[in-house]
Amino acid sequence: MDLVGQILCGKYRIEKLLGQGGMGSVWGGKHQLTGRKIAIKILDDKYVGNANVTERFRREARAASAIPHEGIVEILDIDTMGDVPFMVMEFLEGRSLADRIDNGAPMTQEQVLDVGSQLLDALHAAHEVGVVHRDLKPDNIFLVPGRRGDVVKILDFGISSKDDENDNKLTVTGTVLGTPHYMSPEQAMGESKTDRRVDIYAAGVLLYECVVGAVPFDGPNYNKLLRVILDSNPQKPTERGAKISPAVERVILRALSKNRDDRPATASAMRAEL
């Protein structure tokens, strides 16, 4: 569906397609009155009649808006185009962490400490208001060039959970939520009750991938990958060529602990360890 040129709610002009996600498409645009560049995420037509997906879409906007932190993408508005919901977000210049990993050499320890510290600080802010992301991955981390280096932004709270919301109607017991390579063992087992430590685990996977250039666990198919996550211990990053200190390596490996109680208890604790 080509939406270029359309004006939503009389004020948001759509200019170009930026990307396609699981639930909808993201478009670049401009506010008609202020001229501000914006990003517009629009739910796919095929999901409009699906109350579960529609509520998850709205939840994403509510979750991100509830976190007062510069490391969380800013939600400016949420509305509907006919029956189709959309959200308006700040427009980010830069590239995803996925692009950085795919198109560059493994990060230096200094770069990883910078990205990791910013990521964990934003996660702490999310967790403090009861929001657990549950789908952290390089595609959902954006690097915005700044005067003092890249500014980290967390995107896509589409499958996040909030402590003060009842998730039973939105999650079928036993359903696996998340992106396989970044899922904690408890997510891989389909546990319906998870907490902030699934994000701690995913942060460990992200930092591992940043220093190695590859994820700690892989498999030829979905089921075998989940089995590896549950049964195998990660190879040390330094054994795979990472140029990091033993202390930083210990932090990353602790975050990848199978037992959630062995991981740092909070994002701020893991940041302090880094």
Side-chain angles (χ1 to χ4, degrees):
M1 179 172 58
D2 188 4
L3 300 176
V4 173
Q6 288 198 32
I7 299 176
L8 308 182
C9 298
K11 52 185 175 180
Y12 304 121
R13 180 180 178 84
I14 298 177
E15 296 185 335
K16 61 180 179 179
L17 179 66
L18 298 178
Q20 187 75 35
M23 290 193 298
S25 51
V26 181
W27 302 76
K30 186 176 294 184
H31 193 291
Q32 287 284 89
L33 297 179
T34 66
R36 177 178 179 174
K37 294 176 71 174
I38 53 173
I40 307 167
K41 187 172 184 177
I42 303 174
L43 186 67
D44 280 348
D45 287 341
K46 63 183 178 182
Y47 293 123
V48 171
N50 187 319
N52 181 50
V53 176
T54 301
E55 177 55 25
R56 282 210 173 277
F57 187 86
R58 293 194 174 102
R59 168 180 286 198
E60 176 180 357
R62 292 196 302 268
S65 297
I67 308 166
H69 195 279
E70 64 179 1
I72 307 296
V73 64
E74 184 181 5
I75 305 298
L76 305 173
D77 196 4
I78 183 168
D79 212 317
T80 57
M81 178 179 61
D83 295 329
V84 181
F86 68 88
M87 70 180 78
V88 181
M89 305 174 287
E90 63 175 316
F91 186 89
L92 300 177
E93 303 274 6
R95 59 178 173 171
S96 70
L97 182 59
D99 287 338
R100 168 62 182 84
I101 293 171
D102 290 343
N103 299 322
M107 293 185 184
T108 65
Q109 176 165 298
E110 182 180 6
Q111 290 170 327
V112 169
L113 292 178
D114 180 40
V115 169
S117 293
Q118 291 186 63
L119 172 65
L120 291 165
D121 194 50
L123 274 182
H124 175 71
H127 294 164
E128 284 297 285
V129 296
V131 175
V132 180
H133 192 286
R134 297 199 296 182
D135 193 24
L136 286 175
K137 56 186 177 182
D139 286 319
N140 288 340
I141 310 298
F142 210 80
L143 305 177
V144 180
R147 286 179 295 179
R148 298 182 179 179
D150 287 334
V151 177
V152 174
K153 294 272 189 177
I154 302 177
L155 317 175
D156 200 347
F157 286 77
I159 67 167
S160 65
S161 64
K162 202 168 190 304
D163 290 344
D164 60 1
E165 289 182 344
N166 186 343
D167 200 41
N168 291 337
K169 295 181 180 178
L170 300 177
T171 303
V172 178
T173 300
T175 298
V176 175
L177 293 176
T179 302
H181 289 93
Y182 306 90
M183 286 195 307
S184 65
E186 56 267 31
Q187 284 175 294
M189 289 188 291
E191 291 186 16
S192 58
K193 184 63 176 177
T194 56
D195 59 27
R196 65 181 64 187
R197 287 170 293 183
V198 302
D199 287 347
I200 300 297
Y201 180 92
V205 178
L206 285 167
L207 297 185
Y208 188 106
E209 189 174 8
C210 284
V211 296
V212 172
V215 291
F217 302 114
D218 205 356
N221 57 54
Y222 182 83
N223 289 331
K224 288 186 178 180
L225 170 58
L226 296 189
R227 196 73 259 163
V228 171
I229 290 173
L230 292 172
D231 295 340
S232 301
N233 291 318
Q235 188 177 3
K236 291 181 178 180
T238 50
E239 293 174 354
R240 300 181 67 177
K243 306 298 183 184
I244 56 174
S245 70
V248 171
E249 183 169 70
R250 282 195 297 271
V251 176
I252 294 174
L253 292 176
R254 193 157 100 81
L256 294 175
S257 297
K258 305 294 184 190
N259 186 338
R260 72 189 85 184
D261 292 332
D262 293 333
R263 299 172 205 152
T266 66
S268 61
M270 183 174 172
R271 183 174 185 267
E273 290 182 24
L274 277 180

